[in-house]
Amino acid sequence: KKCLNEMAEPAPSPQMPPLSKMVPLMLMMGMNKVDLEALGLRTHCEAAFVGVQVGCLLILTLINKRIGDKHEDPTAPKVIVPAEVVMGNEAKPAKEQTEREYDREEFSKLRTMQLMGAVIMGFVYYKWHSLMPLVLQLVLTPINLYEAPLFQIYVLNRDQKRPFPKPNPFGLPEKPTADADAAAAPAVDDSATARIEEPGGGQESGEEESASLGDSAKLANATAKNGVTSGAGEHALGGDGAGGEIGKEAVAEAGEGAGVGEN
């Protein structure tokens, strides 16, 4: 039953890495084969970079406006924000916030990240005139904004659980949360209960094997008796006594088989 329960449980589907972790590698492989500057596309890349940054700022403005217009339900449960731990030390204690307060705080972090990325990339390009980081930032900026939970909520109208998961810089799978552990606990308890409710399973199997050996011994004993009868008949008719000897050997073998069955 335990094996059947394990086979019935669906295997967890592997999660695809986000686009922000896949696109840079593909883009770098493509740019190693194509020289954008030799094709005369430097000005186009610069204009596209500026246009993307302006477009992302406009989307951030829209998100900020929709957060401000959000109706706050006083009866709604508050968001429990866990403590922030840096280098083993608690940087910020745990707290409770309303959804709008939490979204405003997360929006501030998102806006700072977008602006800092644009400023740093602008300085790097001004200093070294390298197209590779410029094109990478040109593509990654809208992808990061698209993957942000606030964009999913206030632009795409999708539900997102608060507090938002912390982004992993290496793209590794997230650790299982307490909710996932609690959901997995009943399945373990059910299997343990099934094992407890069915005691002596191995004992029953042993009894079945003993019964099977007993049946084999009985069959061998019956065959031996037939051999003894046949041997006796041949001896009575004046045979050379070989049938009797065969009957005795069969009786001896049947006795050994019966002893094994009883054990």
Side-chain angles (χ1 to χ4, degrees), residues 53-231:
Q53 302 304 321
V54 173
C56 289
L57 289 177
L58 292 176
I59 294 176
L60 289 174
T61 304
L62 174 65
I63 293 175
N64 187 30
K65 181 179 181 302
R66 291 186 176 179
I67 292 176
D69 296 339
K70 179 181 176 64
H71 174 70
E72 195 70 58
D73 186 4
T75 61
K78 292 188 176 182
V79 180
I80 301 176
V81 184
E84 294 186 11
V85 180
V86 180
M87 301 292 291
N89 299 322
E90 185 176 339
K92 292 182 179 180
K95 56 185 176 181
E96 292 185 357
Q97 293 179 315
T98 62
E99 288 189 358
R100 185 163 62 179
E101 292 173 348
Y102 178 77
D103 290 349
R104 281 191 179 279
E105 185 173 330
E106 292 298 314
F107 173 79
S108 177
K109 296 177 183 178
L110 178 62
R111 180 177 56 188
T112 302
M113 182 183 67
Q114 294 282 332
L115 292 176
M116 288 296 295
V119 171
I120 293 174
M121 189 62 253
F123 174 77
V124 170
Y125 180 74
Y126 174 79
K127 189 72 176 178
W128 288 282
H129 298 279
S130 176
L131 278 178
M132 174 75 77
L134 185 74
V135 175
L136 284 175
Q137 187 70 14
L138 164 67
V139 176
L140 287 179
T141 299
I143 291 178
N144 289 330
L145 182 59
Y146 171 80
E147 292 178 349
L150 291 177
F151 183 89
Q152 300 287 323
I153 295 173
Y154 292 101
V155 178
L156 301 180
N157 295 324
R158 296 178 180 175
D159 294 332
Q160 293 289 327
K161 185 179 179 181
R162 299 174 177 83
F164 304 142
K166 298 296 181 183
N168 193 317
F170 302 104
L172 298 175
E174 299 177 3
K175 295 181 179 180
T177 58
D179 296 340
D181 295 339
V188 177
D189 294 338
D190 291 341
S191 61
T193 304
R195 291 196 297 269
I196 294 173
E197 290 178 353
E198 297 179 0
Q203 199 173 21
E204 293 177 359
S205 301
E207 292 176 358
E208 291 177 358
E209 293 177 0
S210 300
S212 177
L213 290 174
D215 293 339
S216 300
K218 290 178 180 179
L219 180 60
N221 195 5
T223 305
K225 288 180 179 179
N226 293 333
V228 171
T229 305
S230 175

